[in-house]
Amino acid sequence: MNVHLQEDLSKHTLRADDGIAKGADLLKVENISLSFGGVKAITDISFDIKKGEIRAIIGPNGAGKTSMLNVINGFYFPQQGTITFRGEKRRRARASETARDGIARTFQNIALFKGMSTLDNIMTGRITLQKRSLLWHALWKGPAEREEIEHREAVERIIDFLEIEHIRKTPVGRLPYGLQKRVELGRALAADPALLLLDEPMAGMNLEEKADMSRFILDVNQQYGTTIALIEHDMGVVMDLSDRVVVLDYGKKIGDGTPDEVRNNPDVIDAYLGVPH
Amino acid sequence: MLSEIFVEPFADMVAAPDFLMQVLWEGLVSGILYALIALGFVLIYRSSRIFNFAQGIMVVFAALTLVGLHEAGVPAWVSVVLTLGVMFVLAVVVERVVLRPLVGQPDIILFMATIGITLFLIGFGEIIFGGENKVMITQELGIPTDSVVFEPFGGLLILEQKDITAAGIAALLVIGLLLFLNKTRMGRAIRALGDDHQAAMSVGISLQTIWVLVWFIAGIIALVTGIAWGARAGVSFALEVIAYKALPVLMLGGLESISGAIVGGLMIGMLEKLFEIYWGQPLLGGNTETWFAFMLALVVLLFRPQGLFGERIIERV
């Protein structure tokens, strides 16, 4: 598979290769606070995601992890704080806009287009990359068709990579859970993202499926050079995969560092094991 | 009695096949219009899960605007273009004022909002265009008004040219729409949005753009329907009631299916006409067309709750 992927890399580097050096800040969130009415979901959180790394966001249930992802990809607008993506501060960017800027994501409770086939689902991931407009499609089929074929090839490579050739034409609503998660990852990958957000990519999977998914995530990171932020509850997975980990609890940041640092952080241990008050 | 129900109608059909064809043709023409209205419903439902109660009044509003503009001295074809512009503005306003603030609310709230749009358009339309009936500018638009006469089986079959034109335009509209939905990336985006809003936004589909687009297309469909129906029956607010005929069509065809809307519309148009002529008038005193479609839908719902073509929904409990 890797030969193809590398070809793909050299062909579609528009987003991964954006002039930001490996290890420099790709995304920076500063002093983010988010509340719903009187409920504070996130309080004054700052951290960064460096280009090329796998960054894990962990924390007990209700810690604000998913809210944080929703802030990053524009589903929620924080009341306070700034987000800097690729060196540009952004104000109230909507999800459809951040997608165009190169942020792709998956969801905790799979959000696929259930009536469509695997192929069509992954094709939707390329919507932001398709340049020819609707009018082109209507007026002059040639160029639009050529473009469609190009995108189709890219999607086929992703399908090969994720080993889901056999379900290419199956409506995703009929697929088992583990495969749906894989299709969802495929759709996010199809956007050729600069930053990939994964919300519990392994929730509800058995050991074998988790191993597969871990392998895919590592491969994506290494082959595509894609920066990944992931939320995950399986600590074994988190510690193995991630370069750095940020820990949230009750909407606040309580730890940030390499897996080893975080593992030995007393606040983190308290949050996970509980402390007598 | 039994023979009056089960034998004589069919004997009549066989005895006068030319008349049967005439009845079927009349039914087909009504059916095309039902199908068009249902299509407007389906399109909006598929992209937003909103049951758009205002589709019927949009037909009236589009037709009134067209005729009203022409009465004000605007040339016919310019009026058509301007009316399309008005429908576009309507789509933008609906998205901005009604839909956007209600994003994420339960479906029933959005449904209620479309009833609000309906009432607004009725009032607004009456203020601007008045409440009296108008005549569709059929000739000015260059739609032929002659009849074509065939003589099948030695009988007589009269097809009005404006009905043929309406059928032709409707067919083109449907084909265009199907190509648009299935072959273009915008179409894919519309289908995606209908499946899952969040996921659609996360791949870069803009809710706002698509909603405006879909309501505009529904407006175009409304205008075509308005012209075609107005040419047969005049333009008035009473036109709105044909929108209710779209409801049984949707029950038959399912809310999600474009082909369902078309087949359902044509079926209901023809069946209600057949029933009226061969059973309703001789046995029930006529005027069965007002209720037949709803009865039929009810019977279908008993056996296939998802409609004849709807996607089967299996829910795990």
Side-chain angles (χ1 to χ4, degrees):
Chain A
M1 71 155 222
N2 291 334
V3 183
H4 284 303
L5 261 181
Q6 269 151 2
E7 267 172 27
D8 199 31
L9 238 184
S10 55
K11 234 165 129 186
H12 292 276
T13 43
L14 52 158
R15 278 179 180 166
D17 182 29
D18 47 13
I20 295 174
K22 200 167 186 256
D25 284 347
L26 179 69
L27 179 103
K28 215 174 159 113
V29 294
E30 286 166 292
N31 311 106
I32 295 282
S33 292
L34 172 76
S35 53
F36 302 102
V39 184
K40 289 205 128 189
I42 297 176
T43 314
D44 198 30
I45 289 184
S46 307
F47 65 93
D48 56 9
I49 298 174
K50 299 209 183 299
K51 185 163 162 116
E53 76 173 340
I54 299 184
R55 183 73 143 132
I57 302 174
I58 64 170
N61 286 325
K65 305 181 295 293
T66 298
S67 294
M68 195 68 230
L69 280 204
N70 284 344
V71 166
I72 294 176
N73 98 306
F75 278 142
Y76 297 157
F77 302 130
Q79 279 82 13
Q80 274 160 36
T82 54
I83 297 173
T84 316
F85 181 56
R86 292 160 141 180
E88 272 175 49
K89 267 209 179 88
R90 80 170 201 232
R91 289 241 131 242
R92 291 183 71 89
R94 285 201 220 107
S96 54
E97 289 158 0
T98 65
R100 250 162 264 156
D101 288 344
I103 298 182
R105 70 168 292 175
T106 65
F107 295 83
Q108 193 174 343
N109 309 306
I110 305 174
L112 285 168
F113 309 121
K114 297 224 168 9
M116 296 189 198
S117 67
T118 299
L119 184 68
D120 274 349
N121 263 278
I122 299 180
M123 276 299 274
T124 60
R126 292 194 79 80
I127 275 180
T128 56
L129 298 174
Q130 294 173 325
K131 283 178 234 72
R132 306 257 179 224
S133 72
L134 167 70
L135 218 57
W136 273 102
H137 278 275
L139 296 180
W140 191 19
K141 276 195 89 180
E145 217 161 56
R146 238 175 322 208
E147 206 199 341
E148 182 87 1
I149 290 170
E150 243 170 63
H151 288 298
R152 175 73 191 264
E153 279 168 0
V155 166
E156 287 295 343
R157 277 194 287 273
I158 289 169
I159 289 177
D160 280 354
F161 166 59
L162 293 174
E163 296 158 20
I164 46 178
E165 299 91 339
H166 57 294
I167 53 164
R168 188 187 280 117
K169 301 273 180 196
T170 318
V172 294
R174 279 200 228 140
L175 296 174
Y177 188 81
L179 281 178
Q180 290 196 7
K181 283 250 168 201
R182 228 184 263 189
V183 175
E184 209 192 10
L185 176 64
R187 187 182 60 198
L189 284 179
D192 216 349
L195 174 61
L196 177 61
L197 310 172
L198 305 175
D199 195 347
E200 300 199 22
M202 284 158 237
M205 287 188 166
N206 63 31
L207 268 180
E208 195 186 332
E209 288 170 328
K210 277 186 187 177
D212 281 343
M213 189 53 99
S214 301
R215 181 163 54 85
F216 292 135
I217 292 174
L218 274 177
D219 278 350
V220 167
N221 179 249
Q222 280 159 16
Q223 306 293 330
Y224 282 77
T226 308
T227 313
I228 298 173
L230 81 139
I231 295 175
E232 186 48 58
H233 278 299
D234 186 322
M235 280 311 126
V237 168
V238 169
M239 297 301 162
D240 284 350
L241 285 184
S242 48
D243 298 307
R244 290 190 304 151
V245 183
V246 52
V247 192
L248 310 184
D249 190 25
Y250 292 107
K252 297 197 175 81
K253 184 167 103 169
I254 58 167
D256 191 350
T258 63
D260 278 335
E261 285 165 9
V262 165
R263 206 187 332 234
N264 298 319
N265 181 332
D267 290 338
V268 175
I269 296 170
D270 287 351
Y272 269 91
L273 299 180
V275 274
H277 285 288
Chain B
M1 183 69 195
L2 277 179
S3 110
E4 278 171 20
I5 297 175
F6 294 108
V7 182
E8 282 171 28
F10 296 103
D12 289 345
M13 287 181 205
V14 176
D18 57 324
F19 184 64
L20 174 65
M21 284 169 75
Q22 186 75 47
V23 170
L24 285 176
W25 167 251
E26 299 289 334
L28 187 76
V29 174
S30 321
I32 287 168
L33 294 163
Y34 299 156
L36 276 182
I37 296 182
L39 209 58
F41 275 102
V42 169
L43 199 62
I44 289 184
Y45 187 80
R46 265 177 53 152
S47 62
S48 58
R49 303 283 129 178
I50 296 171
F51 188 85
N52 178 24
F53 197 76
Q55 187 67 36
I57 195 69
M58 279 165 71
V59 172
V60 180
F61 189 74
L64 276 178
T65 308
L66 178 65
V67 178
L69 281 169
H70 187 65
E71 279 179 359
V74 183
W77 282 101
V78 180
S79 307
V80 171
V81 175
L82 285 180
T83 306
L84 285 176
V86 169
M87 295 320 276
F88 182 71
V89 172
L90 180 70
V92 173
V93 171
V94 164
E95 193 276 318
R96 270 291 148 80
V97 180
V98 183
L99 302 180
R100 193 180 293 185
L102 293 177
V103 170
Q105 298 290 332
D107 294 349
I108 189 76
I109 305 277
L110 285 153
F111 170 61
M112 293 298 288
T114 67
I115 295 183
I117 297 172
T118 308
L119 296 176
F120 170 78
L121 284 179
I122 291 176
F124 187 66
E126 280 196 35
I127 289 173
I128 295 187
F129 304 109
E132 67 273 18
N133 292 2
K134 295 183 192 302
V135 180
M136 180 45 68
I137 48 172
T138 317
Q139 276 168 329
E140 290 86 337
L141 288 172
I143 299 170
T145 46
D146 294 342
S147 306
V148 185
V149 180
F150 293 101
E151 292 179 1
F153 313 110
L156 200 63
L157 177 64
I158 302 167
L159 310 186
E160 288 204 48
Q161 283 187 350
K162 64 185 177 200
D163 289 345
I164 300 175
T165 314
I169 293 175
L172 282 179
L173 194 70
V174 167
I175 292 168
L177 204 60
L178 281 174
L179 284 176
F180 172 73
L181 278 178
N182 291 318
K183 296 285 175 200
T184 68
R185 80 190 169 102
M186 210 54 142
R188 199 182 287 134
I190 289 177
R191 286 187 293 149
L193 200 60
D195 262 4
D196 194 309
H197 282 183
Q198 274 212 326
M201 288 190 281
S202 83
V203 295
I205 296 167
S206 158
L207 204 68
Q208 280 77 19
T209 316
I210 300 281
W211 278 4
V212 168
L213 182 78
V214 170
W215 279 73
F216 179 49
I217 297 177
I220 298 175
I221 296 176
L223 177 61
V224 172
T225 320
I227 294 174
W229 196 272
R232 311 185 88 206
V235 181
S236 74
F237 283 96
L239 260 183
E240 205 215 339
V241 298
I242 62 159
Y244 301 129
K245 279 287 174 63
L247 300 179
V249 172
L250 292 170
M251 288 179 213
L252 278 184
L255 270 167
E256 315 241 354
S257 163
I258 288 189
S259 43
I262 297 163
V263 178
L266 300 184
M267 255 175 62
I268 285 200
M270 292 198 282
L271 285 177
E272 74 174 12
K273 203 64 155 193
L274 274 182
F275 186 81
E276 166 74 11
I277 300 293
Y278 290 99
W279 285 271
Q281 282 176 4
L283 298 172
L284 297 164
N287 209 13
T288 57
E289 279 166 286
T290 49
W291 55 262
F292 176 77
F294 296 93
M295 269 273 300
L296 187 67
L298 210 62
V299 174
V300 170
L301 280 185
L302 277 177
F303 296 102
R304 276 185 68 89
Q306 71 273 31
L308 290 179
F309 307 91
E311 285 169 24
R312 191 177 197 118
I313 298 157
I314 301 167
E315 259 181 271
R316 267 172 224 140
V317 185

